[in-house]
Amino acid sequence: MLAVLLAIGPMHQVSLAQPALQPLASQQLTAQAKQDTAKPDTKSAATDPADDAGAWVMLDGRRVIEIKSAAGAQNPKDVARRITGQLQRLVRDPRFRADRIVVRDQDPYATVGLLASDGKFLPGLAVDDRAAKQAGLSRQALAERYRDQIRTAVRDYRVRNSRRSWIVGTLLAMLVLGVYVLWVRWQQRLHRRLLRWLSRRSVALAPRLKLGEQTLVTPAQTIVTTRLLLNTAHWGALLLISWLLIPLLLSFFPPTQAMAEGLRGQLLTWFMQVVRAVLSLVPNFFWMGFIAVCTALMVRLSNFLFGALRRGRLKISWFYREWAIPTRRIANTFIVLAGLLFAFPYIPGSDSRAFQGAGLLFGVLAALGSSAAATNVISGLMLIYTRAFLEGDRVEINGVIGLVQERALLVTRIRTPRNELVSIPNAAVITSSVVNYSFSRREIRKPVAVCTTVTIGYDVPWRQVHELMISAAKSVEGISREAEPFVLQTSLNDFNISYELTASIRDSKKYRETLSELLGAIQDQFADAKIEILSPGYHAMRNGNPSTLPPPLTPQDNATP
């Protein structure tokens, strides 16, 4: 047999007598009540303060009664645990009816108990005037409320565990599973169609994100990112619907309905937490978007102003046009850094330990590499604003001759005539001499000159040597006609005279090619005039050695192969 239970609301506190399995005499209950009344301080002292939290009596995983205090030295949790077990055994008895739970008034208590089959009343829980006063009801009304709550819980249990409920739950579960399978197939087909449609229209739909003239996001990167987002959305939807399906299926069967309610409660709690977190971040996202828009507008304004300076539409007396591109890059970098600085406090998790650790790591890396990096950056800025060379100029730095391929803040890259790319740190460039072959044409509108020296014996008239060298220069196509070539006698040596030819070239980028053609023309001119170009190993007065003149060309030699 089971002692009768009590269901009370969260705001009510009642005195509970110990439920018993054996019959209890009314005299025993009255004596216990008088004893409890006579020793209020003892009860208060014996009760654990932790019991104020209350303990729930459960039936089939559902809450039925909350016991916040117990009579005497009883622990509400022990009472709730014992009553839960007795109630679970009682409802499994098919002969038990809910209307056998009744209320009897046994002064000074209204007792909720069980009416046995032989007509005996088994008292289980006594409600006193103090509990009734706290609830704002009479003692009898409060006991009847508890009785009705217990009866309702028992009837609901019987309805949930009936054969009809099992059949209906099974049919609903099969229907839901069928709909779920159809939805999964439809979702997979839709995902494949979206991927095929994206592959066919990738070129037209993929944008190119640029910051000034710098391409930040290419169409290929946009396509890869879009495919990744589609796959993430597809699998995310499958996982979410599958997770929501679990509590729905569990709710169709009586033994797992309480578990389903728990899962639904967890999902609802998680969802509300996400919603509250997102709503709390809305102001931060607003300010981040506002800062991003302002930063983008400032970058566009910077690009417009420096673009006008580079094209000559806007002129500043002290600002050179070639400064426009590097200065624009520096200005855009500072604008973006300022935007990040203002937006950082609004980034979610910016005050977390992870961000602090990342900041510490970057600080250590910056400290380790700041010396060399800062030296190269400062040197790069000095090279930019001292206008030593520009991209595309032909220069000679540290013995390396070639075209300036890139002038960055850290290194200068030179492409040699053999298409070799040489990277020179700016700190090394700033400390060495830079020969710029393109400066004269660009700045003073005059061509750069090429010079070469030959040695001719004293037996050849110097005026004839001058004529031959000038004729050779004029015969070369790469020699400019803006300035006449000229010859200087630079040295009277022991056995010969040094003649230096200076001639301007049309294109400084073809310096080596033009010099090679000029040397070949000089050799042809002197060979036709039967004049030897001497080296220190030969003398004007011969001692029997043959001449170094090449044999005359035949028509077959002049023919193009």
Side-chain angles (χ1 to χ4, degrees), residues 69-90:
S69 62
Q74 301 176 84
N75 190 321
K77 294 182 179 180
D78 295 337
V79 173
R81 190 181 306 110
R82 185 164 50 251
I83 294 177
T84 297
Q86 295 171 350
L87 185 59
Q88 291 287 354
R89 290 192 297 271
L90 184 62

Side-chain angles (χ1 to χ4, degrees), residues 5-37:
L5 313 172
L6 172 67
I8 63 173
M11 299 300 295
H12 302 154
Q13 291 186 357
V14 299
S15 299
L16 297 176
Q18 172 64 41
L21 294 177
Q22 68 276 10
L24 299 176
S26 300
Q27 293 81 359
Q28 293 176 338
L29 180 61
T30 304
Q32 178 67 35
K34 290 181 178 180
Q35 183 181 1
D36 295 341
T37 306

Side-chain angles (χ1 to χ4, degrees), residues 223-467:
I223 295 171
V224 172
T225 304
T226 305
R227 294 178 68 91
L228 179 61
L229 291 177
L230 284 176
N231 290 329
T232 303
H234 169 67
W235 290 107
L238 288 178
L239 292 176
L240 178 61
I241 298 300
S242 301
W243 177 248
L244 294 176
L245 182 68
I246 294 175
L248 181 60
L249 292 176
L250 293 177
S251 65
F252 293 144
F253 303 98
T256 57
Q257 287 179 352
M259 186 184 301
E261 291 180 0
L263 288 176
R264 278 197 295 265
Q266 292 179 359
L267 289 176
L268 182 60
T269 302
W270 175 80
F271 177 75
M272 293 305 299
Q273 290 176 352
V274 172
V275 170
R276 285 194 293 267
V278 171
L279 291 178
S280 65
L281 293 177
V282 167
N284 290 352
F285 285 130
F286 170 78
W287 284 111
M288 290 172 61
F290 177 75
I291 295 172
V293 170
C294 293
T295 303
L297 292 177
M298 293 294 294
V299 170
R300 293 176 72 90
L301 178 61
S302 173
N303 293 336
F304 172 78
L305 293 177
F306 287 107
L309 287 171
R310 183 174 63 86
R311 290 187 292 269
R313 296 179 181 178
L314 179 64
K315 294 184 178 180
I316 301 177
S317 59
W318 52 268
F319 193 90
Y320 294 94
R321 294 173 61 179
E322 61 267 19
W323 287 355
I325 294 178
T327 307
R328 182 197 65 192
R329 293 174 179 172
I330 296 173
N332 290 346
T333 300
F334 279 108
I335 291 172
V336 173
L337 289 178
L340 292 176
L341 180 63
F342 283 108
F344 182 80
Y346 301 102
I347 298 176
S350 58
D351 56 346
S352 64
R353 294 186 179 273
F355 269 78
Q356 295 174 2
L360 179 62
L361 176 61
F362 284 119
V364 172
L365 294 178
L368 292 177
S370 60
S371 177
T375 302
N376 285 305
V377 169
I378 295 173
S379 301
L381 293 176
M382 291 179 62
L383 290 174
I384 290 174
Y385 292 102
T386 55
R387 305 175 67 239
F389 51 82
L390 302 178
E391 292 184 4
D393 286 357
R394 180 183 176 83
V395 296
E396 180 180 355
I397 304 175
N398 283 341
V400 180
I401 300 177
L403 301 179
V404 178
Q405 187 75 14
E406 182 182 3
R407 183 181 58 179
L409 288 178
L410 296 178
V411 297
T412 297
R413 294 182 174 87
I414 299 177
R415 180 167 58 88
T416 67
R418 294 182 294 275
N419 288 327
E420 300 168 340
L421 189 63
V422 181
S423 297
I424 306 175
N426 287 333
V429 176
I430 202 68
T431 57
S432 61
S433 299
V434 179
V435 180
N436 193 334
Y437 296 95
S438 304
F439 176 82
S440 60
R441 173 65 73 181
R442 184 181 65 250
E443 298 294 334
I444 61 178
R445 299 294 186 273
K446 292 183 179 180
V448 68
V450 62
C451 64
T452 183
T453 301
V454 296
T455 54
I456 306 296
Y458 284 96
D459 55 335
V460 180
W462 64 268
R463 293 180 178 84
Q464 183 182 6
V465 175
H466 283 212
E467 292 177 359

Side-chain angles (χ1 to χ4, degrees), residues 129-143:
D129 293 331
R130 182 166 58 105
K133 184 178 179 180
Q134 291 177 353
L137 299 172
S138 65
R139 186 176 62 194
Q140 183 70 21
L142 184 58

